[in-house]
Amino acid sequence: MDANQAENLFESKLAKNEMIEPKDWMPENYRKHLIRQISQHAHSEIVGMLPEGNWITRAPSLRAKLVLLAKVQDEGGHGLYLYAAAETLGTGRAQMIDDLHSGKAKYSSIFNYPTISWADMGAIGWLVDGAAILNQIPLCRCSYGPYARAMVRICKEESFHQRQGFDILLALANGSPEQRAMAQDAINRWYWPAVMMFGPSDDASTNSAQSMKWKIKRFSNDELRQRFVDMIAEQIKVLGLVVPDPELRWNEERGHYDFGPIDWDEFWNVVNGNGPCNRQRLRTRVEAHEEGEWVREAASVYADKKRSRENQTKAA
Ligand code: BYC
């Protein structure tokens, strides 16, 4: 098959909504675009374990601790499926991890905010995982097979995460005045960063147009953000709390909630490494990686031994 035929086949698969698989021909920029997005996504899951991991030892009950532990482990698993999906595109995991540690690769802005109370576990589950689900469900239909398939399982787990977050906030909202205030404070701090998670507005989104042509992204950043605002504006009524946006109002004509302006300076500041916890998060990740050196070494020596034993048995 010549280059033109290969490209035609790729385009016709996209047009028919067929998946592109690792061994299929694909344009180099499609490959690079996916490596960028999938590795950023994997890094977000792994760095995303840190703000919540912070509360495992301080969970208010054994049940809460078990649930949080399971959730944080799920995030670790998501990172692993996603690194594996990125590896099918020909990039090595060690390279991706180096890029995270050197600050070259991005990860979601949301994980650079501190978790200062137990209610933050609720706000992260409800708002952050809630935003993640809206962004990630369409990725189950993205054009690259290994990414789309990884997202199916991830989304199932994320929906459990969102419920556990809501459950924490509901308990606090129905608790003492102090607990209610704690829930409101967490929502006040996490709401806008969650709104920002969807990325820059459509006119400033450099990757969106191409990503949509390639059927990686199915909806724009602003479309998904609007869905999120609409969903949260309704769900918060059940909690009897409020979102920190005085301009949030139902717009009958649009059939959506209007909302106030987003502080894009804050967003870019965090994306560019200057959020409240960026340095701390990277330092913790690098330390964890260095401390795990002996595990990686032992695993690879064990794999070598096993292989050579198998070879000896075959030769005998
Ligand atoms: N934070 O052209 P755009 C989770 C960057 S983990 C940082 O719109 P794109 C969870 C963007 O990378 C949730 N950077 O980009 C885990 C680009 O820079 P580069 C993570 C951001 O890719 C644990 C530039 O801004 N989810 O759920 O079309 C516990 C221009 O943006 C952000 C995913 O990663 C941001 N928020 O759209 C709990 C989902 N937004 O790369 C929960 C998969 C934008 O050109 N990713 N940037 O240098 C995506 O869907 C898309 O990559 C995005 C951005 C919607 C994030």
Side-chain angles (χ1 to χ4, degrees), residues 214-245:
W214 279 328
K215 298 190 174 173
I216 296 169
K217 252 182 176 167
R218 299 283 180 159
F219 299 97
S220 78
N221 297 358
D222 287 334
E223 280 172 317
L224 293 172
R225 189 176 355 259
Q226 180 71 62
R227 280 187 199 182
F228 175 73
V229 169
D230 292 348
M231 174 179 88
I232 296 301
E234 288 301 317
Q235 292 180 351
I236 199 158
K237 293 179 185 168
V238 181
L239 295 175
L241 299 171
V242 287
V243 295
D245 179 1

Side-chain angles (χ1 to χ4, degrees), residues 140-157:
C140 298
R141 292 188 293 117
C142 97
S143 57
Y144 188 57
Y147 191 25
R149 288 188 288 273
M151 292 318 302
V152 173
R153 177 150 175 198
I154 291 178
C155 284
K156 283 187 185 155
E157 292 174 352

Side-chain angles (χ1 to χ4, degrees), residues 17-298:
N17 280 322
E18 282 174 18
M19 301 248 178
I20 308 299
E21 296 297 339
K23 289 189 176 154
D24 292 345
W25 181 90
M26 60 186 85
E28 252 339 273
N29 283 338
Y30 175 83
R31 186 185 297 278
K32 281 197 193 132
H33 186 110
L34 279 168
I35 292 174
R36 174 192 68 86
Q37 176 167 330
I38 303 172
S39 65
Q40 282 177 2
H41 194 163
H43 299 327
S44 304
E45 300 281 356
I46 297 296
V47 178
M49 296 168 79
L50 300 175
E52 290 172 291
N54 196 24
W55 278 87
I56 292 172
T57 52
R58 289 178 282 163
S61 69
L62 185 59
R63 179 183 175 275
K65 187 181 178 113
L66 282 171
V67 173
L68 185 62
L69 196 59
K71 183 192 184 229
V72 174
Q73 283 177 344
D74 283 352
E75 312 296 357
H78 297 173
L80 298 183
Y81 317 149
L82 289 163
Y83 283 128
E87 282 177 314
T88 64
L89 291 153
T91 185
R93 192 172 303 200
Q95 181 63 51
M96 290 186 268
I97 289 172
D98 275 355
D99 289 347
L100 170 68
H101 292 174
S102 68
K104 190 173 156 209
K106 292 190 168 74
Y107 61 86
S108 182
S109 50
I110 193 76
F111 302 116
N112 293 305
Y113 291 85
T115 43
I116 59 181
S117 82
W118 172 250
D120 289 16
M121 299 305 96
I124 292 184
W126 178 45
L127 296 170
V128 176
D129 288 270
I133 294 171
L134 289 177
N135 167 276
Q136 293 174 180
I137 285 180
L139 289 173
C140 298
R141 292 188 293 117
C142 97
S143 57
Y144 188 57
Y147 191 25
R149 288 188 288 273
M151 292 318 302
V152 173
R153 177 150 175 198
I154 291 178
C155 284
K156 283 187 185 155
E157 292 174 352
E158 295 290 16
S159 80
F160 150 68
H161 296 170
Q162 195 196 15
R163 281 181 211 172
Q164 71 84 36
F166 194 78
D167 193 52
I168 291 173
L169 289 178
L170 193 60
L172 293 172
N174 291 327
S176 66
E178 289 80 7
Q179 286 172 321
R180 217 177 147 69
M182 193 162 95
Q184 183 61 62
D185 171 63
I187 292 170
N188 292 348
R189 285 180 291 104
W190 288 93
Y191 178 73
W192 284 110
V195 170
M196 292 174 196
M197 269 177 81
F198 296 90
S201 58
D202 293 351
D203 50 3
S205 167
T206 42
N207 299 300
S208 276
Q210 187 58 63
S211 187
M212 292 184 74
K213 262 193 213 148
W214 279 328
K215 298 190 174 173
I216 296 169
K217 252 182 176 167
R218 299 283 180 159
F219 299 97
S220 78
N221 297 358
D222 287 334
E223 280 172 317
L224 293 172
R225 189 176 355 259
Q226 180 71 62
R227 280 187 199 182
F228 175 73
V229 169
D230 292 348
M231 174 179 88
I232 296 301
E234 288 301 317
Q235 292 180 351
I236 199 158
K237 293 179 185 168
V238 181
L239 295 175
L241 299 171
V242 287
V243 295
D245 179 1
E247 295 179 41
L248 185 77
R249 212 158 280 120
W250 176 252
N251 182 327
E252 195 64 53
E253 222 169 277
R254 290 199 313 120
H256 289 291
Y257 278 89
D258 289 337
F259 54 100
I262 293 170
D263 183 349
W264 291 117
D265 288 343
E266 174 180 329
F267 172 75
W268 289 116
N269 202 32
V270 177
V271 171
N272 292 327
N274 302 312
C277 298
N278 293 59
R279 284 174 194 81
Q280 182 192 335
R281 297 285 183 246
L282 269 192
R283 201 171 48 240
T284 312
R285 270 312 320 150
V286 170
E287 276 168 19
H289 191 70
E290 284 169 357
E291 279 168 19
E293 179 70 44
W294 70 271
V295 180
R296 291 190 295 281
E297 232 176 81

